[in-house]
Amino acid sequence: MHFFFIQLEPDIDYITPIVYKLASNGKKIIVICFNPLIDIDNDYRLQYLKIYPSVSILYLHQTFTSLRLLFKPIFRLARILSSTQQEKFYAFIVKNLLTGRLLELFLIKNNAVSLTIDEGIPKHSLKIINCAKNIGILSIMTPTGALMYKEAPKELMDGTIFDTDLRVDYRIVSPNKDISKFTKKTRKPVFMGVARYCNEWQEINAKLISDLGDSYMLPSSRGKLKVLIFSRPSIGLVKDSPLIVKIANDKDIDLIFKNKPRGVKDNPGTYDSCPSALLIQWADIVIGSVSSIVLDILYYKKQFIFLSYLSNDQVGKLENSDICMVALDEKMAMRYLSNFKQKSYNSSNIKIKEYYDNIVYEKSLGFDVLGHYDKLYTKFELLKK
């Protein structure tokens, strides 16, 4: 049995393609979710995984029948709490469940072969990795997102080595990552392509997204330019910022503003609960900062305005005029929109493909990203024997 853990909503994007591939080749998998705000019964990606009989998806407190019976009424009551209070409440439960031997017993009971966790929350990840160590099963840590930067944010350049890097058995590394910070004490990195954005999964995800279309009411004014903006509060890209106010007041534009590319929280009156890939399919043009969501924008052949003037050393730089329109100030961003209305902007599909492939695929392995993941987990099963 292979175990995958979900800590944050973006984790679903990055583990789902791997789980799909392993399950389609007959491997048994249990996905355990730490976060009560993630609706595992209705998330379209997790729903897709459930078509495979060998996949089970649980909340952490559902790992034992006794825990499930104990926590079911508690969690029903917890639904009335705010999202922040729910997260704090569940974090308390997670901390206590991971501190004891309950998770270890569950892993042993299910004959665990491997345990995979995202790098997003190092403290939680370390507890999971230590559980694996205590009972002698392999631990794997996957990266969050893809490396998009021309110039990396400072926090990615500070040489920090987390305890997770020292304890985990296998550290999956995205293409183009600088591993100079890895020392002899850290586990040997395993270079892999980015599962979420490989063509095999993109084709599946595009179909899943298209099937969701009727579930969301999106603007459809005839003749208007459809503009999608992803927020980034840390650089001042918020709903009442001057650029967004100007765009919202343009009578020739239908605007959708989403507070976070990867979030799907249910905020009434907003598009925050709508999958970002569906919004990208809807849009003519997308505006934002550096994020791996740019890969979806390029995959769906949509134009992207990168707000360079708002970016800084904390969020990184993406100044490649071959793949996007680089706005050095607010006036330039508005000029790009005006040019696009007049159909006077062209981009190079060849350059975009080169950029996309360089970010997503590990050159030494080729394009079969998920096939290589399946081989890796098959290797784990052989090691277990």
Side-chain angles (χ1 to χ4, degrees):
M1 186 75 72
H2 299 281
F3 283 78
F4 287 78
F5 288 84
I6 297 169
Q7 302 182 84
L8 301 171
E9 192 276 337
D11 299 356
I12 305 174
D13 261 341
Y14 294 100
I15 71 152
T16 301
I18 303 171
V19 173
Y20 138 74
K21 191 64 175 183
L22 303 190
S24 65
N25 286 321
K27 292 179 174 62
K28 294 181 179 179
I29 297 150
I30 293 179
V31 178
I32 296 180
C33 179
F34 287 175
N35 193 333
L37 299 183
I38 295 173
D39 187 350
I40 63 175
D41 293 321
N42 291 300
D43 183 277
Y44 80 93
R45 297 154 296 184
L46 299 180
Q47 280 294 303
Y48 176 73
L49 293 180
K50 289 180 180 179
I51 70 174
Y52 295 95
S54 62
V55 177
S56 298
I57 302 174
L58 308 167
Y59 289 111
L60 180 60
H61 67 273
Q62 295 175 328
T63 48
F64 281 97
T65 302
S66 56
L67 285 177
R68 191 178 307 171
L69 293 173
L70 173 65
F71 284 110
K72 187 174 181 179
I74 295 175
F75 275 93
R76 191 172 292 158
L77 289 172
R79 293 290 179 185
I80 66 173
L81 301 174
S82 69
S83 59
T84 302
Q85 290 171 323
Q86 284 188 51
E87 285 182 330
K88 288 180 179 179
F89 172 66
Y90 203 72
F92 172 78
I93 291 174
V94 168
K95 178 182 176 181
N96 284 278
L97 289 180
L98 294 182
T99 301
R101 277 188 43 85
L102 283 172
L103 182 59
E104 292 177 17
L105 292 172
F106 186 71
L107 295 171
I108 293 169
K109 176 184 175 184
N110 286 279
N111 194 28
V113 171
S114 72
L115 184 154
T116 302
I117 190 92
D118 186 273
E119 66 186 359
I121 308 179
K123 287 184 179 180
H124 273 179
S125 299
L126 183 59
K127 288 179 180 291
I128 294 292
I129 290 166
N130 284 336
C131 280
K133 287 285 180 191
N134 291 342
I135 58 176
I137 67 171
L138 293 172
S139 58
I140 303 97
M141 190 157 61
T142 58
T144 298
L147 291 176
M148 303 294 301
Y149 310 100
K150 175 182 177 183
E151 179 182 334
K154 284 183 178 178
E155 59 263 31
L156 296 182
M157 301 173 66
D158 64 5
T160 301
I161 296 289
F162 293 108
D163 288 340
T164 48
D165 292 311
L166 303 176
R167 296 282 290 168
V168 73
D169 293 308
Y170 291 85
R171 179 75 154 80
I172 306 297
V173 178
S174 296
N176 306 306
K177 185 176 178 65
D178 178 8
I179 61 167
S180 59
K181 74 171 189 176
F182 285 72
T183 69
K184 290 182 179 179
K185 291 183 180 180
T186 58
R187 300 297 175 175
K188 183 179 178 181
V190 180
F191 289 93
M192 300 288 270
V194 184
R196 165 63 180 83
Y197 296 104
C198 71
N199 192 62
E200 180 178 355
W201 179 252
Q202 283 284 43
E203 289 181 357
I204 293 171
N205 194 56
K207 175 65 166 60
L208 297 176
I209 287 292
S210 294
D211 292 344
L212 289 175
D214 293 338
S215 303
Y216 297 91
M217 295 295 293
L218 303 180
S220 58
S221 303
R222 189 172 181 179
K224 287 191 176 184
L225 183 67
K226 293 179 284 190
V227 177
L228 168 63
I229 300 178
F230 289 118
S231 161
R232 193 71 175 264
S234 63
I235 59 173
L237 186 57
V238 292
K239 201 165 189 176
D240 58 356
S241 63
L243 174 65
I244 295 173
V245 171
K246 283 183 181 179
I247 295 171
N249 289 331
D250 190 321
K251 61 180 175 45
D252 295 321
I253 289 177
D254 270 337
L255 173 65
I256 286 182
F257 180 87
K258 185 171 182 181
N259 276 309
K260 191 177 180 183
R262 293 297 175 203
V264 289
K265 290 185 177 180
D266 187 14
N267 294 328
T270 74
Y271 292 97
D272 291 350
S273 64
C274 187
S276 292
L278 180 61
L279 297 180
I280 292 169
Q281 285 185 357
W282 166 86
D284 295 314
I285 193 163
V286 185
I287 300 174
S289 60
V290 178
S291 165
S292 54
I293 199 69
V294 172
L295 292 170
D296 273 336
I297 298 168
L298 300 181
Y299 179 80
Y300 290 108
K301 297 180 171 57
K302 300 306 173 89
Q303 302 295 346
F304 176 55
I305 298 178
F306 168 59
L307 302 179
S308 177
Y309 68 97
L310 287 179
S311 298
N312 53 41
D313 290 343
Q314 266 61 53
V315 299
K317 297 287 186 181
L318 181 70
E319 295 185 350
N320 186 334
S321 58
D322 290 325
I323 63 133
C324 66
M325 295 171 272
V326 180
L328 302 179
D329 54 36
E330 185 181 305
K331 288 183 179 179
M332 187 177 286
M334 293 302 295
R335 190 160 63 248
Y336 280 136
L337 282 175
S338 177
N339 290 344
F340 194 80
K341 287 181 191 177
Q342 299 166 26
K343 311 295 183 186
S344 60
Y345 178 82
N346 293 305
S347 59
S348 168
N349 289 332
I350 294 174
K351 291 291 186 181
I352 287 174
K353 186 178 187 310
E354 288 177 357
Y355 175 85
Y356 189 99
D357 289 352
N358 184 57
I359 296 293
V360 173
Y361 298 106
E362 174 57 41
K363 293 179 180 63
S364 63
L365 299 178
F367 294 101
D368 187 13
V369 175
L370 299 182
H372 283 286
Y373 266 104
D374 186 60
K375 288 178 182 177
L376 183 64
Y377 282 81
T378 297
K379 173 185 172 182
F380 297 155
E381 292 178 349
L382 294 174
L383 290 172
K384 180 73 171 180
K385 295 177 181 178

